[in-house]
Amino acid sequence: MKEILDAINALDSSDATAEDFAALPLPESYRAVTVHKDEAGMFEGLTTREKDPRRSLHLDDVPVPELGPGEALVAVMASSVNYNSVWTSIFEPVSTFGFLERYGRLSPLTKRHDLPYHIIGSDLAGVVLRTGVGVNAWKPGDEVVAHCLSVELESADGHNDTMLDPQQRIWGFETNFGGLAEIALVKTNQLMPKPRHLSWEEAAAPGLVNSTAYRQLVSRNGAGMKQGDNVLIWGASGGLGSYATQFALAGGANPICVVSSPEKADICRRMGAEAIIDRNAEGYKFWKDENNQDPREWKRFGAKIRELTGGEDVDIVFEHPGRETFGASVYVTRKGGTIVTCASTSGYEHVYDNRYLWMSLKSIVGSHFANYREAWEANRLIAKGKIHPTLSKTYTLEQTGQATYDVHRNLHQGKVGVLCLATAEGQGVRDPEMRAKHIDSINLFRDDAPNRGE
Ligand SMILES: NC(=O)c1ccc[n+]([C@@H]2O[C@H](COP(=O)([O-])OP(=O)(O)OC[C@H]3O[C@@H](n4cnc5c(N)ncnc54)[C@H](OP(=O)(O)O)[C@@H]3O)[C@@H](O)[C@H]2O)c1
């Protein structure tokens, strides 16, 4: 691995060719963050909160997978923790080994994914080491990020919108050989150029959540946000929300940011948002008990929104908490407005009063990750410095269990990064001039940000 790392670190100054890179010997094994199939029942009887990713996530030495047609092996410099790492690590709502078994039944090539361990992680920034047969657009030595859409594209169903492919999977969640590792296996259609002004860990942070927020909020496949829209954003300083807030601000909309602490409210303010609701300080109790909601609390929430918007209701609700908030989200949306949802963190059986939906001609739109083009557009906005990574903290590969625990317990802000082959933060920047121009925005979520507390 040392030879690979030396070659990567010299990339900026050396004139190494793709052939030189392709000639670097691959190691027999590499370090990867895994869950183990024989431990899938380890948390039985515990509540969701009690399930501790530090117990289920392992750092193992694993063999380098065989490279197939249309694929690439990538040396991973950095990755990030997404909420799907939490789901995998606590084996909820189901163990991800079922996904791997099902994928393995598709073909002899996909059989490689069906293993007694699952290498997780759905983001990466790194350098291409090898490309498979039929790959022309990418070559060894290319500096890349990878989005996490894995599709087979053999069915016409997915030809307009690759998210509709019947064999659509999230890489590193529903497939093996993910990004929380020193080497990852991807389809080369997942590859995109690494934004040159960012370090490895900054470049790896946006991928999954930025693309998801782009489809959910901006794309016509989602809410199709337009200038002037009032957009209610749950978890506005979290993984998804920190990008939704940026898209709303950059697109001329008005984000109404919901967060749970003064610190998170401060982050939203520094992003440029003005309408912010601290849900803890307001003490909303949308559910009276396990089975009954309290419409008076929906009204109180709606009144707070109107107070912040000059009497207007919201055009779009950016939903993901699910059961706990969904009834309120449907209620506060304006006539003809859209509730766009991509998740159900607090429970997937949503209850809402349908009178407020049909009588007011509102729509509920389901959204999931992003198609190839949407992921590309979302990365392009990062590369152009229009949208910025929201990295707050970086961990080592050994500390991935702790990083995942922090996300599970909502102790984090924005995104948390993981250094894989990168030996320190800040490596991999190729355009320092552009970086200098955007440095305050890039650092906005950092605990040690220079503009913190201003
Ligand atoms: N379908 C997809 O493609 C897709 C993609 C990405 C993520 N997701 C899913 O989306 C969800 C959020 O992901 P994320 O990366 O944004 O996670 P995250 O970084 O944990 O942020 C979510 C934020 O939502 C807020 N929140 C959590 N529970 C809440 C509740 N009960 N009521 C109100 N607010 C609540 C919290 O913010 P405050 O405490 O500040 O309010 C939290 O920080 C996860 O379930 C994830 O699996 C789906």
Side-chain angles (χ1 to χ4, degrees), residues 83-84 87 208-209 212 234-235 238-241 258-260 264 279 320-321 324-325 342-343 345-346 367-369 407 410 412 414:
Y83 213 92
N84 68 7
W87 296 126
L208 184 148
V209 281
T212 305
W234 290 104
L240 287 169
V258 187
V259 291
S260 63
K264 290 180 173 186
R279 64 184 172 100
H320 50 87
E324 210 157 301
T325 55
C342 78
T345 314
S346 65
S367 192
H368 185 39
F369 187 58
V407 174
N410 198 14
H412 67 301

PDB file of all heavy atoms in Angstrom, residues 83-84 87 208-209 212 234-235 238-241 258-260 264 279 320-321 324-325 342-343 345-346 367-369 407 410 412 414, ligand 1:
ATOM      1  N   TYR A  83     -26.078   8.244   7.277  1.00  0.00           N
ATOM      2  CA  TYR A  83     -27.017   7.576   8.181  1.00  0.00           C
ATOM      3  C   TYR A  83     -27.208   6.108   7.798  1.00  0.00           C
ATOM      4  O   TYR A  83     -27.519   5.279   8.649  1.00  0.00           O
ATOM      5  CB  TYR A  83     -28.355   8.324   8.214  1.00  0.00           C
ATOM      6  CG  TYR A  83     -29.006   8.245   9.565  1.00  0.00           C
ATOM      7  CD1 TYR A  83     -28.788   9.225  10.531  1.00  0.00           C
ATOM      8  CD2 TYR A  83     -29.790   7.140   9.908  1.00  0.00           C
ATOM      9  CE1 TYR A  83     -29.352   9.121  11.787  1.00  0.00           C
ATOM     10  CE2 TYR A  83     -30.358   7.033  11.172  1.00  0.00           C
ATOM     11  CZ  TYR A  83     -30.137   8.026  12.093  1.00  0.00           C
ATOM     12  OH  TYR A  83     -30.683   7.917  13.352  1.00  0.00           O
ATOM     13  N   ASN A  84     -26.954   5.767   6.515  1.00  0.00           N
ATOM     14  CA  ASN A  84     -27.112   4.353   6.143  1.00  0.00           C
ATOM     15  C   ASN A  84     -26.053   3.478   6.838  1.00  0.00           C
ATOM     16  O   ASN A  84     -26.271   2.289   7.056  1.00  0.00           O
ATOM     17  CB  ASN A  84     -27.169   4.148   4.617  1.00  0.00           C
ATOM     18  CG  ASN A  84     -25.875   4.434   3.880  1.00  0.00           C
ATOM     19  OD1 ASN A  84     -24.826   4.678   4.491  1.00  0.00           O
ATOM     20  ND2 ASN A  84     -25.929   4.414   2.553  1.00  0.00           N
ATOM     21  N   TRP A  87     -27.813   2.577   9.974  1.00  0.00           N
ATOM     22  CA  TRP A  87     -28.793   1.486   9.769  1.00  0.00           C
ATOM     23  C   TRP A  87     -28.082   0.137   9.649  1.00  0.00           C
ATOM     24  O   TRP A  87     -28.481  -0.848  10.261  1.00  0.00           O
ATOM     25  CB  TRP A  87     -29.639   1.735   8.517  1.00  0.00           C
ATOM     26  CG  TRP A  87     -30.534   2.958   8.569  1.00  0.00           C
ATOM     27  CD1 TRP A  87     -30.569   3.979   7.656  1.00  0.00           C
ATOM     28  CD2 TRP A  87     -31.521   3.301   9.557  1.00  0.00           C
ATOM     29  NE1 TRP A  87     -31.501   4.925   8.025  1.00  0.00           N
ATOM     30  CE2 TRP A  87     -32.104   4.535   9.177  1.00  0.00           C
ATOM     31  CE3 TRP A  87     -31.966   2.683  10.732  1.00  0.00           C
ATOM     32  CZ2 TRP A  87     -33.109   5.156   9.933  1.00  0.00           C
ATOM     33  CZ3 TRP A  87     -32.966   3.311  11.473  1.00  0.00           C
ATOM     34  CH2 TRP A  87     -33.517   4.519  11.075  1.00  0.00           C
ATOM     35  N   LEU A 208     -23.349  11.537  -1.031  1.00  0.00           N
ATOM     36  CA  LEU A 208     -24.675  10.937  -0.888  1.00  0.00           C
ATOM     37  C   LEU A 208     -25.734  11.966  -0.498  1.00  0.00           C
ATOM     38  O   LEU A 208     -26.789  12.065  -1.122  1.00  0.00           O
ATOM     39  CB  LEU A 208     -24.620   9.801   0.143  1.00  0.00           C
ATOM     40  CG  LEU A 208     -25.918   9.017   0.344  1.00  0.00           C
ATOM     41  CD1 LEU A 208     -25.635   7.562   0.692  1.00  0.00           C
ATOM     42  CD2 LEU A 208     -26.810   9.618   1.408  1.00  0.00           C
ATOM     43  N   VAL A 209     -25.459  12.754   0.524  1.00  0.00           N
ATOM     44  CA  VAL A 209     -26.510  13.668   1.008  1.00  0.00           C
ATOM     45  C   VAL A 209     -26.736  14.841   0.057  1.00  0.00           C
ATOM     46  O   VAL A 209     -27.877  15.284  -0.139  1.00  0.00           O
ATOM     47  CB  VAL A 209     -26.205  14.195   2.436  1.00  0.00           C
ATOM     48  CG1 VAL A 209     -26.561  13.172   3.481  1.00  0.00           C
ATOM     49  CG2 VAL A 209     -24.793  14.679   2.585  1.00  0.00           C
ATOM     50  N   THR A 212     -28.777  13.571  -2.839  1.00  0.00           N
ATOM     51  CA  THR A 212     -30.149  13.281  -2.394  1.00  0.00           C
ATOM     52  C   THR A 212     -30.939  14.575  -2.225  1.00  0.00           C
ATOM     53  O   THR A 212     -32.086  14.689  -2.675  1.00  0.00           O
ATOM     54  CB  THR A 212     -30.137  12.511  -1.056  1.00  0.00           C
ATOM     55  OG1 THR A 212     -29.335  11.345  -1.209  1.00  0.00           O
ATOM     56  CG2 THR A 212     -31.538  12.110  -0.630  1.00  0.00           C
ATOM     57  N   TRP A 234     -36.441  20.286   7.833  1.00  0.00           N
ATOM     58  CA  TRP A 234     -36.183  19.592   9.097  1.00  0.00           C
ATOM     59  C   TRP A 234     -34.689  19.259   9.184  1.00  0.00           C
ATOM     60  O   TRP A 234     -34.077  18.954   8.155  1.00  0.00           O
ATOM     61  CB  TRP A 234     -36.993  18.294   9.182  1.00  0.00           C
ATOM     62  CG  TRP A 234     -38.468  18.515   9.346  1.00  0.00           C
ATOM     63  CD1 TRP A 234     -39.427  18.379   8.396  1.00  0.00           C
ATOM     64  CD2 TRP A 234     -39.144  18.913  10.549  1.00  0.00           C
ATOM     65  NE1 TRP A 234     -40.662  18.667   8.923  1.00  0.00           N
ATOM     66  CE2 TRP A 234     -40.521  18.996  10.245  1.00  0.00           C
ATOM     67  CE3 TRP A 234     -38.721  19.208  11.847  1.00  0.00           C
ATOM     68  CZ2 TRP A 234     -41.478  19.361  11.194  1.00  0.00           C
ATOM     69  CZ3 TRP A 234     -39.673  19.568  12.791  1.00  0.00           C
ATOM     70  CH2 TRP A 234     -41.036  19.646  12.468  1.00  0.00           C
ATOM     71  N   GLY A 235     -34.141  19.289  10.388  1.00  0.00           N
ATOM     72  CA  GLY A 235     -32.729  18.925  10.564  1.00  0.00           C
ATOM     73  C   GLY A 235     -31.824  19.752   9.680  1.00  0.00           C
ATOM     74  O   GLY A 235     -30.918  19.241   9.022  1.00  0.00           O
ATOM     75  N   GLY A 238     -28.172  19.213   9.666  1.00  0.00           N
ATOM     76  CA  GLY A 238     -27.743  17.811   9.617  1.00  0.00           C
ATOM     77  C   GLY A 238     -27.196  17.447   8.244  1.00  0.00           C
ATOM     78  O   GLY A 238     -26.940  18.325   7.408  1.00  0.00           O
ATOM     79  N   GLY A 239     -27.042  16.149   8.009  1.00  0.00           N
ATOM     80  CA  GLY A 239     -26.453  15.680   6.750  1.00  0.00           C
ATOM     81  C   GLY A 239     -27.221  16.197   5.540  1.00  0.00           C
ATOM     82  O   GLY A 239     -26.702  16.975   4.735  1.00  0.00           O
ATOM     83  N   LEU A 240     -28.462  15.805   5.395  1.00  0.00           N
ATOM     84  CA  LEU A 240     -29.266  16.248   4.250  1.00  0.00           C
ATOM     85  C   LEU A 240     -29.591  17.728   4.342  1.00  0.00           C
ATOM     86  O   LEU A 240     -29.484  18.472   3.367  1.00  0.00           O
ATOM     87  CB  LEU A 240     -30.603  15.488   4.230  1.00  0.00           C
ATOM     88  CG  LEU A 240     -30.594  14.029   3.827  1.00  0.00           C
ATOM     89  CD1 LEU A 240     -31.959  13.408   4.142  1.00  0.00           C
ATOM     90  CD2 LEU A 240     -30.295  13.904   2.343  1.00  0.00           C
ATOM     91  N   GLY A 241     -30.017  18.142   5.540  1.00  0.00           N
ATOM     92  CA  GLY A 241     -30.549  19.493   5.717  1.00  0.00           C
ATOM     93  C   GLY A 241     -29.527  20.581   5.439  1.00  0.00           C
ATOM     94  O   GLY A 241     -29.875  21.663   4.951  1.00  0.00           O
ATOM     95  N   VAL A 258     -35.422  24.114  10.731  1.00  0.00           N
ATOM     96  CA  VAL A 258     -35.758  23.562  12.043  1.00  0.00           C
ATOM     97  C   VAL A 258     -34.534  22.818  12.573  1.00  0.00           C
ATOM     98  O   VAL A 258     -33.943  21.993  11.861  1.00  0.00           O
ATOM     99  CB  VAL A 258     -36.955  22.590  11.967  1.00  0.00           C
ATOM    100  CG1 VAL A 258     -37.383  22.174  13.375  1.00  0.00           C
ATOM    101  CG2 VAL A 258     -38.123  23.223  11.224  1.00  0.00           C
ATOM    102  N   VAL A 259     -34.154  23.141  13.800  1.00  0.00           N
ATOM    103  CA  VAL A 259     -32.996  22.506  14.441  1.00  0.00           C
ATOM    104  C   VAL A 259     -33.338  22.241  15.907  1.00  0.00           C
ATOM    105  O   VAL A 259     -34.435  22.574  16.351  1.00  0.00           O
ATOM    106  CB  VAL A 259     -31.729  23.404  14.344  1.00  0.00           C
ATOM    107  CG1 VAL A 259     -31.218  23.492  12.916  1.00  0.00           C
ATOM    108  CG2 VAL A 259     -32.009  24.794  14.897  1.00  0.00           C
ATOM    109  N   SER A 260     -32.380  21.686  16.663  1.00  0.00           N
ATOM    110  CA  SER A 260     -32.717  21.320  18.045  1.00  0.00           C
ATOM    111  C   SER A 260     -31.815  21.970  19.095  1.00  0.00           C
ATOM    112  O   SER A 260     -31.859  21.560  20.254  1.00  0.00           O
ATOM    113  CB  SER A 260     -32.683  19.796  18.190  1.00  0.00           C
ATOM    114  OG  SER A 260     -31.378  19.321  17.945  1.00  0.00           O
ATOM    115  N   LYS A 264     -26.869  24.734  16.710  1.00  0.00           N
ATOM    116  CA  LYS A 264     -27.281  24.395  15.345  1.00  0.00           C
ATOM    117  C   LYS A 264     -27.979  25.589  14.689  1.00  0.00           C
ATOM    118  O   LYS A 264     -27.832  25.817  13.483  1.00  0.00           O
ATOM    119  CB  LYS A 264     -28.186  23.168  15.361  1.00  0.00           C
ATOM    120  CG  LYS A 264     -27.439  21.889  15.731  1.00  0.00           C
ATOM    121  CD  LYS A 264     -28.363  20.674  15.729  1.00  0.00           C
ATOM    122  CE  LYS A 264     -27.575  19.398  15.920  1.00  0.00           C
ATOM    123  NZ  LYS A 264     -28.408  18.198  15.793  1.00  0.00           N
ATOM    124  N   ARG A 279     -36.610  23.535  17.700  1.00  0.00           N
ATOM    125  CA  ARG A 279     -37.772  22.706  18.073  1.00  0.00           C
ATOM    126  C   ARG A 279     -37.730  22.311  19.550  1.00  0.00           C
ATOM    127  O   ARG A 279     -38.770  22.072  20.170  1.00  0.00           O
ATOM    128  CB  ARG A 279     -37.876  21.476  17.165  1.00  0.00           C
ATOM    129  CG  ARG A 279     -36.720  20.487  17.265  1.00  0.00           C
ATOM    130  CD  ARG A 279     -36.885  19.357  16.262  1.00  0.00           C
ATOM    131  NE  ARG A 279     -35.706  18.510  16.206  1.00  0.00           N
ATOM    132  CZ  ARG A 279     -35.571  17.334  16.815  1.00  0.00           C
ATOM    133  NH1 ARG A 279     -36.568  16.859  17.540  1.00  0.00           N
ATOM    134  NH2 ARG A 279     -34.460  16.623  16.704  1.00  0.00           N
ATOM    135  N   HIS A 320     -37.809  14.181   6.316  1.00  0.00           N
ATOM    136  CA  HIS A 320     -37.071  12.931   6.519  1.00  0.00           C
ATOM    137  C   HIS A 320     -37.207  12.360   7.919  1.00  0.00           C
ATOM    138  O   HIS A 320     -37.031  11.156   8.093  1.00  0.00           O
ATOM    139  CB  HIS A 320     -35.581  13.080   6.137  1.00  0.00           C
ATOM    140  CG  HIS A 320     -34.921  14.270   6.750  1.00  0.00           C
ATOM    141  ND1 HIS A 320     -34.345  14.226   7.986  1.00  0.00           N
ATOM    142  CD2 HIS A 320     -34.782  15.535   6.318  1.00  0.00           C
ATOM    143  CE1 HIS A 320     -33.858  15.420   8.280  1.00  0.00           C
ATOM    144  NE2 HIS A 320     -34.123  16.243   7.295  1.00  0.00           N
ATOM    145  N   PRO A 321     -37.589  13.182   8.956  1.00  0.00           N
ATOM    146  CA  PRO A 321     -37.744  12.548  10.279  1.00  0.00           C
ATOM    147  C   PRO A 321     -38.867  11.505  10.302  1.00  0.00           C
ATOM    148  O   PRO A 321     -38.824  10.548  11.057  1.00  0.00           O
ATOM    149  CB  PRO A 321     -38.062  13.725  11.210  1.00  0.00           C
ATOM    150  CG  PRO A 321     -37.540  14.927  10.509  1.00  0.00           C
ATOM    151  CD  PRO A 321     -37.742  14.648   9.049  1.00  0.00           C
ATOM    152  N   GLU A 324     -42.621  11.082  13.465  1.00  0.00           N
ATOM    153  CA  GLU A 324     -42.758  12.103  14.506  1.00  0.00           C
ATOM    154  C   GLU A 324     -43.247  13.449  13.953  1.00  0.00           C
ATOM    155  O   GLU A 324     -43.962  14.176  14.630  1.00  0.00           O
ATOM    156  CB  GLU A 324     -41.411  12.289  15.202  1.00  0.00           C
ATOM    157  CG  GLU A 324     -41.576  12.702  16.639  1.00  0.00           C
ATOM    158  CD  GLU A 324     -40.349  12.345  17.458  1.00  0.00           C
ATOM    159  OE1 GLU A 324     -40.022  11.150  17.512  1.00  0.00           O
ATOM    160  OE2 GLU A 324     -39.748  13.270  18.018  1.00  0.00           O
ATOM    161  N   THR A 325     -42.856  13.790  12.737  1.00  0.00           N
ATOM    162  CA  THR A 325     -43.113  15.134  12.209  1.00  0.00           C
ATOM    163  C   THR A 325     -44.082  15.159  11.030  1.00  0.00           C
ATOM    164  O   THR A 325     -44.527  16.239  10.634  1.00  0.00           O
ATOM    165  CB  THR A 325     -41.788  15.758  11.728  1.00  0.00           C
ATOM    166  OG1 THR A 325     -41.182  14.866  10.768  1.00  0.00           O
ATOM    167  CG2 THR A 325     -40.825  15.996  12.868  1.00  0.00           C
ATOM    168  N   CYS A 342     -37.815  11.589   1.884  1.00  0.00           N
ATOM    169  CA  CYS A 342     -36.836  10.579   1.463  1.00  0.00           C
ATOM    170  C   CYS A 342     -36.494   9.631   2.601  1.00  0.00           C
ATOM    171  O   CYS A 342     -35.573   8.835   2.464  1.00  0.00           O
ATOM    172  CB  CYS A 342     -35.567  11.246   0.954  1.00  0.00           C
ATOM    173  SG  CYS A 342     -34.524  11.836   2.287  1.00  0.00           S
ATOM    174  N   ALA A 343     -37.191   9.741   3.723  1.00  0.00           N
ATOM    175  CA  ALA A 343     -36.786   8.895   4.854  1.00  0.00           C
ATOM    176  C   ALA A 343     -37.816   8.931   5.968  1.00  0.00           C
ATOM    177  O   ALA A 343     -38.765   9.716   5.941  1.00  0.00           O
ATOM    178  CB  ALA A 343     -35.442   9.362   5.396  1.00  0.00           C
ATOM    179  N   THR A 345     -36.713   8.521   9.693  1.00  0.00           N
ATOM    180  CA  THR A 345     -35.775   8.212  10.780  1.00  0.00           C
ATOM    181  C   THR A 345     -36.499   7.799  12.068  1.00  0.00           C
ATOM    182  O   THR A 345     -36.078   6.881  12.759  1.00  0.00           O
ATOM    183  CB  THR A 345     -34.873   9.435  11.062  1.00  0.00           C
ATOM    184  OG1 THR A 345     -34.406   9.946   9.823  1.00  0.00           O
ATOM    185  CG2 THR A 345     -33.702   9.074  11.947  1.00  0.00           C
ATOM    186  N   SER A 346     -37.625   8.482  12.392  1.00  0.00           N
ATOM    187  CA  SER A 346     -38.289   8.216  13.675  1.00  0.00           C
ATOM    188  C   SER A 346     -39.405   7.170  13.561  1.00  0.00           C
ATOM    189  O   SER A 346     -40.105   6.914  14.540  1.00  0.00           O
ATOM    190  CB  SER A 346     -38.872   9.520  14.225  1.00  0.00           C
ATOM    191  OG  SER A 346     -39.900   9.998  13.369  1.00  0.00           O
ATOM    192  N   SER A 367     -38.935  10.551  -2.696  1.00  0.00           N
ATOM    193  CA  SER A 367     -37.658  10.790  -3.377  1.00  0.00           C
ATOM    194  C   SER A 367     -36.607   9.886  -2.774  1.00  0.00           C
ATOM    195  O   SER A 367     -36.638   9.614  -1.571  1.00  0.00           O
ATOM    196  CB  SER A 367     -37.265  12.269  -3.201  1.00  0.00           C
ATOM    197  OG  SER A 367     -36.196  12.596  -4.056  1.00  0.00           O
ATOM    198  N   HIS A 368     -35.689   9.429  -3.614  1.00  0.00           N
ATOM    199  CA  HIS A 368     -34.636   8.539  -3.119  1.00  0.00           C
ATOM    200  C   HIS A 368     -33.369   8.866  -3.885  1.00  0.00           C
ATOM    201  O   HIS A 368     -33.426   9.133  -5.102  1.00  0.00           O
ATOM    202  CB  HIS A 368     -35.081   7.088  -3.346  1.00  0.00           C
ATOM    203  CG  HIS A 368     -34.153   6.057  -2.786  1.00  0.00           C
ATOM    204  ND1 HIS A 368     -33.504   6.202  -1.580  1.00  0.00           N
ATOM    205  CD2 HIS A 368     -33.789   4.837  -3.267  1.00  0.00           C
ATOM    206  CE1 HIS A 368     -32.770   5.118  -1.363  1.00  0.00           C
ATOM    207  NE2 HIS A 368     -32.919   4.285  -2.370  1.00  0.00           N
ATOM    208  N   PHE A 369     -32.259   8.892  -3.233  1.00  0.00           N
ATOM    209  CA  PHE A 369     -30.954   9.294  -3.759  1.00  0.00           C
ATOM    210  C   PHE A 369     -31.077  10.215  -4.967  1.00  0.00           C
ATOM    211  O   PHE A 369     -31.721  11.267  -4.914  1.00  0.00           O
ATOM    212  CB  PHE A 369     -30.050   8.075  -4.040  1.00  0.00           C
ATOM    213  CG  PHE A 369     -28.657   8.503  -4.410  1.00  0.00           C
ATOM    214  CD1 PHE A 369     -27.915   9.283  -3.536  1.00  0.00           C
ATOM    215  CD2 PHE A 369     -28.102   8.198  -5.656  1.00  0.00           C
ATOM    216  CE1 PHE A 369     -26.655   9.742  -3.896  1.00  0.00           C
ATOM    217  CE2 PHE A 369     -26.845   8.648  -6.007  1.00  0.00           C
ATOM    218  CZ  PHE A 369     -26.124   9.410  -5.119  1.00  0.00           C
ATOM    219  N   VAL A 407     -23.267   9.908  14.977  1.00  0.00           N
ATOM    220  CA  VAL A 407     -24.372  10.226  14.059  1.00  0.00           C
ATOM    221  C   VAL A 407     -25.666   9.581  14.583  1.00  0.00           C
ATOM    222  O   VAL A 407     -26.732  10.207  14.590  1.00  0.00           O
ATOM    223  CB  VAL A 407     -24.049   9.761  12.622  1.00  0.00           C
ATOM    224  CG1 VAL A 407     -25.257   9.950  11.700  1.00  0.00           C
ATOM    225  CG2 VAL A 407     -22.852  10.540  12.075  1.00  0.00           C
ATOM    226  N   ASN A 410     -27.116  11.637  17.223  1.00  0.00           N
ATOM    227  CA  ASN A 410     -27.352  13.033  16.829  1.00  0.00           C
ATOM    228  C   ASN A 410     -26.413  13.990  17.585  1.00  0.00           C
ATOM    229  O   ASN A 410     -26.807  15.080  18.000  1.00  0.00           O
ATOM    230  CB  ASN A 410     -28.833  13.392  17.072  1.00  0.00           C
ATOM    231  CG  ASN A 410     -29.265  14.633  16.296  1.00  0.00           C
ATOM    232  OD1 ASN A 410     -28.569  15.097  15.391  1.00  0.00           O
ATOM    233  ND2 ASN A 410     -30.412  15.201  16.664  1.00  0.00           N
ATOM    234  N   HIS A 412     -23.603  15.030  16.186  1.00  0.00           N
ATOM    235  CA  HIS A 412     -22.770  15.644  15.146  1.00  0.00           C
ATOM    236  C   HIS A 412     -23.461  16.863  14.545  1.00  0.00           C
ATOM    237  O   HIS A 412     -24.635  17.118  14.794  1.00  0.00           O
ATOM    238  CB  HIS A 412     -22.536  14.623  14.033  1.00  0.00           C
ATOM    239  CG  HIS A 412     -23.814  14.302  13.293  1.00  0.00           C
ATOM    240  ND1 HIS A 412     -24.932  13.790  13.922  1.00  0.00           N
ATOM    241  CD2 HIS A 412     -24.174  14.465  12.004  1.00  0.00           C
ATOM    242  CE1 HIS A 412     -25.905  13.643  13.045  1.00  0.00           C
ATOM    243  NE2 HIS A 412     -25.471  14.053  11.869  1.00  0.00           N
ATOM    244  N   GLY A 414     -23.741  18.692  10.491  1.00  0.00           N
ATOM    245  CA  GLY A 414     -23.414  18.491   9.077  1.00  0.00           C
ATOM    246  C   GLY A 414     -22.986  17.062   8.810  1.00  0.00           C
ATOM    247  O   GLY A 414     -23.693  16.118   9.126  1.00  0.00           O
TER     248      GLY A 414
HETATM  249  N1  LIG B   1     -33.528   8.083   0.570  1.00  0.00           N
HETATM  250  C1  LIG B   1     -32.319   8.541   0.504  1.00  0.00           C
HETATM  251  O1  LIG B   1     -31.713   8.533  -0.565  1.00  0.00           O
HETATM  252  C2  LIG B   1     -31.645   9.083   1.720  1.00  0.00           C
HETATM  253  C3  LIG B   1     -30.411   9.736   1.578  1.00  0.00           C
HETATM  254  C4  LIG B   1     -29.794  10.280   2.706  1.00  0.00           C
HETATM  255  C5  LIG B   1     -30.372  10.091   3.952  1.00  0.00           C
HETATM  256  N2  LIG B   1     -31.537   9.418   4.057  1.00  0.00           N
HETATM  257  C6  LIG B   1     -32.183   9.232   5.362  1.00  0.00           C
HETATM  258  O2  LIG B   1     -32.556  10.527   5.827  1.00  0.00           O
HETATM  259  C7  LIG B   1     -32.485  10.563   7.249  1.00  0.00           C
HETATM  260  C8  LIG B   1     -31.629  11.760   7.658  1.00  0.00           C
HETATM  261  O3  LIG B   1     -30.319  11.601   7.140  1.00  0.00           O
HETATM  262  P1  LIG B   1     -29.197  12.685   7.460  1.00  0.00           P
HETATM  263  O4  LIG B   1     -27.965  12.261   6.791  1.00  0.00           O
HETATM  264  O5  LIG B   1     -29.718  14.033   7.208  1.00  0.00           O
HETATM  265  O6  LIG B   1     -29.063  12.442   9.038  1.00  0.00           O
HETATM  266  P2  LIG B   1     -28.512  13.425  10.149  1.00  0.00           P
HETATM  267  O7  LIG B   1     -27.204  13.972   9.772  1.00  0.00           O
HETATM  268  O8  LIG B   1     -28.640  12.657  11.420  1.00  0.00           O
HETATM  269  O9  LIG B   1     -29.525  14.656  10.179  1.00  0.00           O
HETATM  270  C9  LIG B   1     -30.901  14.481  10.442  1.00  0.00           C
HETATM  271  C10 LIG B   1     -31.387  15.585  11.341  1.00  0.00           C
HETATM  272  O10 LIG B   1     -32.798  15.474  11.438  1.00  0.00           O
HETATM  273  C11 LIG B   1     -33.214  15.960  12.685  1.00  0.00           C
HETATM  274  N3  LIG B   1     -34.093  14.982  13.317  1.00  0.00           N
HETATM  275  C12 LIG B   1     -33.774  13.705  13.657  1.00  0.00           C
HETATM  276  N4  LIG B   1     -34.829  13.126  14.253  1.00  0.00           N
HETATM  277  C13 LIG B   1     -35.811  14.052  14.293  1.00  0.00           C
HETATM  278  C14 LIG B   1     -37.127  14.058  14.800  1.00  0.00           C
HETATM  279  N5  LIG B   1     -37.646  12.988  15.396  1.00  0.00           N
HETATM  280  N6  LIG B   1     -37.853  15.196  14.684  1.00  0.00           N
HETATM  281  C15 LIG B   1     -37.342  16.286  14.093  1.00  0.00           C
HETATM  282  N7  LIG B   1     -36.087  16.343  13.603  1.00  0.00           N
HETATM  283  C16 LIG B   1     -35.347  15.224  13.690  1.00  0.00           C
HETATM  284  C17 LIG B   1     -31.975  16.199  13.538  1.00  0.00           C
HETATM  285  O11 LIG B   1     -31.703  17.592  13.550  1.00  0.00           O
HETATM  286  P3  LIG B   1     -32.058  18.504  14.822  1.00  0.00           P
HETATM  287  O12 LIG B   1     -31.765  17.660  16.013  1.00  0.00           O
HETATM  288  O13 LIG B   1     -31.157  19.689  14.693  1.00  0.00           O
HETATM  289  O14 LIG B   1     -33.491  18.893  14.684  1.00  0.00           O
HETATM  290  C18 LIG B   1     -30.895  15.482  12.772  1.00  0.00           C
HETATM  291  O15 LIG B   1     -29.647  16.114  12.913  1.00  0.00           O
HETATM  292  C19 LIG B   1     -31.923   9.214   7.679  1.00  0.00           C
HETATM  293  O16 LIG B   1     -33.006   8.377   8.042  1.00  0.00           O
HETATM  294  C20 LIG B   1     -31.253   8.679   6.436  1.00  0.00           C
HETATM  295  O17 LIG B   1     -31.176   7.283   6.404  1.00  0.00           O
HETATM  296  C21 LIG B   1     -32.204   8.933   2.950  1.00  0.00           C
END
